[in-house]
Amino acid sequence: MRLTILGGGGFRVPLVYGALLGDRADGRVTGVTLYDTDPGRLAVMARVLADQADGVPAAPAVTATTDLDEALRGADFVFSAIRVGGLDGRATDERVALAEGVLGQETVGAGGIAYGLRTVPAAREIARRIARLAPDAWVINFTNPAGLVTEAMRESLGDRVIGICDSPVGLGRRIARVLGAARPQEAWIDYVGLNHLGWVRGLRIGGRDELPRLLADPVALESFEEGRLFGAEWLRSLGAIPNEYLHYYYFNRETVAAYRQAERTRGAFLRDQQRAFYAGPDGTGPAAGAALAAWDRTRAEREATYMAENREAAGAGEREETDLESGGYEQVALALMRAIARDERATLILNVANGSTLSVLDPDAVIEVPCLVDANGAHPVAVDPLPYHAVGLVTAVKAVEREVLAAAAAPSRTAARAAATKAFALHPLVDSVAVARRLLDGYARHHPGLAYLR
Ligand code: G6P
Ligand code: MN
């Protein structure tokens, strides 16, 4: 099996490679091709992976290229984890939004729209190339905003592209642990929504729904990340545990205020942190032999500061030790590949076409939902309908995503600007059409990838 990673110079590639190194079973990945537009980042990542493989027998062979077509030919699996505009772009997304007093997070609110508007054209082009050069490959999309980007790639790839995110897995694992499940992987999680916009409505261990027991216990509720972010009382009112990203909706004023007060936004922090990592002590990156340790230090700092502003706004304190190891993202990817490649049935929360799962959305809308996965791909399981308050958010945000998709495919600049304005204006976290217009102009001015909106 050969795996191609688009965005192969990206910081989280060693997580994936680490998971592959731990897979000794038949049919495992034996070759990895890293593709990136930046040869410098590729060289650094190749060094980190070489450090990781050191002493591991039959480690997957790694090659690196800046030629997309070469990377795609012969791939069995393609991971897409690109960042159009880099972390500089992410910091700009935050800054432009905050100047208007609204949220600029990379996937939620104005920032997510700006990021989507410049990522969708690139994702569509990549999907078309995959369809041509590797028509049998399965594509796993990590690129944020993951649901929207997966929906764009489906236009060329259909069910062969599947989006993933580790937030629901992390949430399920934390709840299962608090409830005392011996093996959190064996808990059945009733979760549905869009990417970064979903709710756990039940968690069955051995057939029994244990969530009511958790909701009735304020101490247990506030013993894990989401419980501390949202507070026991609000979770009890909802009767569900929201994805951590819903903190930006339910506590919007507080999170915007925390972002404004922060010395640096998340994107700016990561931009500076990663710049230092990729430069290394002498500008050419960490040396062979020292690269893995440097990467791991950087990773640990990134994990420890994840959603720091939200935790500060909520008075939620530090992250749990067990949440710092990662293990979510790459394990979902590996489990998905194994299920497809070896026809090993697995249930995973993934971003796939709605079909008839949520009656309030059309069949092509990408949603995030538990899926049964086998050699034929991922099939969403039936879930209970969402309550009205969740339907409101899910349908509003899907409408926004559709405007982003329309803007990026519009036949004229005027049509593109009209759709993009609608995307900003219709988002529940943008409170005025006038603000939406200024956001569009601000983003179009700053981002080369948004020249089509100028
Ligand atoms: C979570 C989200 C991802 C996001 C990641 C890193 O796992 O689900 O979508 O990419 O966190 O966030 P960060 O702020 O560190 O880039
Ligand atoms: Mn995610």
Side-chain angles (χ1 to χ4, degrees):
M1 286 283 164
R2 191 160 77 73
L3 166 68
T4 288
I5 305 182
L6 310 179
F11 188 75
R12 290 196 285 180
V13 168
L15 295 175
V16 173
Y17 192 63
L20 298 178
L21 286 174
D23 184 12
R24 316 302 306 171
D26 283 347
R28 73 202 172 95
V29 170
T30 50
V32 177
T33 302
L34 306 179
Y35 161 80
D36 205 285
T37 52
D38 181 339
R41 287 166 62 96
L42 271 180
V44 171
M45 267 311 135
R47 249 174 271 155
V48 177
L49 302 198
D51 278 5
Q52 276 183 298
D54 191 28
V56 180
V62 177
T63 55
T65 176
T66 53
D67 182 326
L68 178 58
D69 292 359
E70 181 190 316
L72 293 178
R73 277 192 204 100
D76 298 294
F77 286 95
V78 177
F79 284 5
S80 182
I82 61 169
R83 186 176 284 283
V84 179
L87 285 164
D88 249 334
R90 179 167 171 185
T92 302
D93 287 343
E94 296 165 335
R95 210 176 49 239
V96 170
L98 286 178
E100 286 295 339
V102 296
L103 184 74
Q105 207 279 333
E106 67 160 340
T107 60
V108 179
I113 296 170
Y115 190 27
L117 285 168
R118 65 178 185 277
T119 306
V120 164
R124 279 185 172 137
E125 171 55 25
I126 287 172
R128 282 193 290 266
R129 290 243 216 148
I130 298 173
R132 204 169 65 230
L133 297 170
D136 296 328
W138 287 91
V139 181
I140 302 179
N141 178 56
F142 302 75
T143 302
N144 271 331
L148 166 66
V149 170
T150 302
E151 195 164 313
M153 295 181 86
R154 279 183 54 79
E155 294 161 9
S156 304
L157 296 167
D159 293 338
R160 287 202 162 262
V161 58
I162 297 168
I164 70 170
C165 175
D166 60 344
S167 287
V169 189
L171 170 57
R173 193 179 51 212
R174 286 187 280 276
I175 301 179
R177 193 175 289 134
V178 172
L179 285 169
R183 286 172 53 81
Q185 313 85 293
E186 276 158 24
W188 161 256
I189 302 159
D190 173 354
Y191 176 94
V192 74
L194 305 183
N195 177 235
H196 292 185
L197 187 70
W199 297 260
V200 171
R201 295 99 47 88
L203 190 135
R204 284 192 281 282
I205 303 171
R208 211 179 110 106
D209 186 5
E210 301 284 354
L211 196 64
R213 175 159 74 82
L214 177 60
L215 289 170
D217 181 345
V219 175
L221 267 180
E222 295 196 3
S223 71
F224 66 100
E225 183 90 17
E226 285 79 0
R228 285 196 290 267
L229 276 180
F230 296 105
E233 192 188 324
W234 180 236
L235 297 183
R236 205 143 37 182
S237 302
L238 282 175
I241 319 279
N243 183 298
E244 58 197 351
Y245 282 81
L246 273 148
H247 194 242
Y248 292 112
Y249 289 84
Y250 294 142
F251 291 88
N252 185 247
R253 282 182 187 222
E254 292 77 7
T255 52
V256 171
Y259 249 79
R260 289 183 111 167
Q261 277 158 24
E263 191 192 321
R264 271 178 307 184
T265 55
R266 179 67 174 164
F269 166 76
L270 291 173
R271 175 198 61 204
D272 298 346
Q273 187 212 36
Q274 299 220 351
R275 196 177 281 157
F277 164 75
Y278 283 99
D282 66 355
T284 63
L292 179 57
W295 174 80
D296 201 48
R297 273 196 305 277
T298 311
R299 182 201 62 78
E301 187 191 30
R302 181 180 188 164
E303 291 292 344
T305 53
Y306 177 66
M307 284 197 147
E309 287 77 20
N310 302 66
R311 278 181 284 111
E312 183 154 337
E318 303 285 293
R319 294 189 83 192
E320 294 278 314
E321 202 59 39
T322 43
D323 290 334
L324 296 177
E325 299 150 10
S326 187
Y329 169 86
E330 64 281 9
Q331 293 307 336
V332 185
L334 184 66
L336 177 55
M337 279 201 298
R338 291 176 66 136
I340 291 174
R342 296 173 211 157
D343 203 14
E344 272 174 17
R345 288 197 121 209
T347 308
L348 300 166
I349 298 175
L350 300 167
N351 286 267
V352 297
N354 174 48
S356 57
T357 313
L358 290 177
S359 63
V360 292
L361 294 174
D362 59 67
D364 292 329
V366 166
I367 62 169
E368 193 164 84
V369 64
C371 295
L372 287 176
V373 192
D374 58 23
N376 295 314
H379 319 281
V381 303
V383 293
D384 289 339
L386 286 167
Y388 281 168
H389 66 83
V391 167
L393 287 179
V394 162
T395 52
V397 170
K398 184 53 75 180
V400 168
E401 291 184 359
R402 290 285 164 83
E403 295 301 336
V404 171
L405 293 172
S412 69
R413 175 187 163 275
T414 313
R417 281 181 59 89
T421 304
K422 244 174 124 184
F424 286 112
L426 294 176
H427 198 286
L429 301 184
V430 175
D431 55 353
S432 157
V433 177
V435 170
R437 292 189 179 125
R438 289 198 297 270
L439 286 169
L440 172 59
D441 286 336
Y443 284 128
R445 200 166 44 241
H446 281 97
H447 287 303
L450 294 185
Y452 71 100
L453 293 166
R454 259 174 229 152

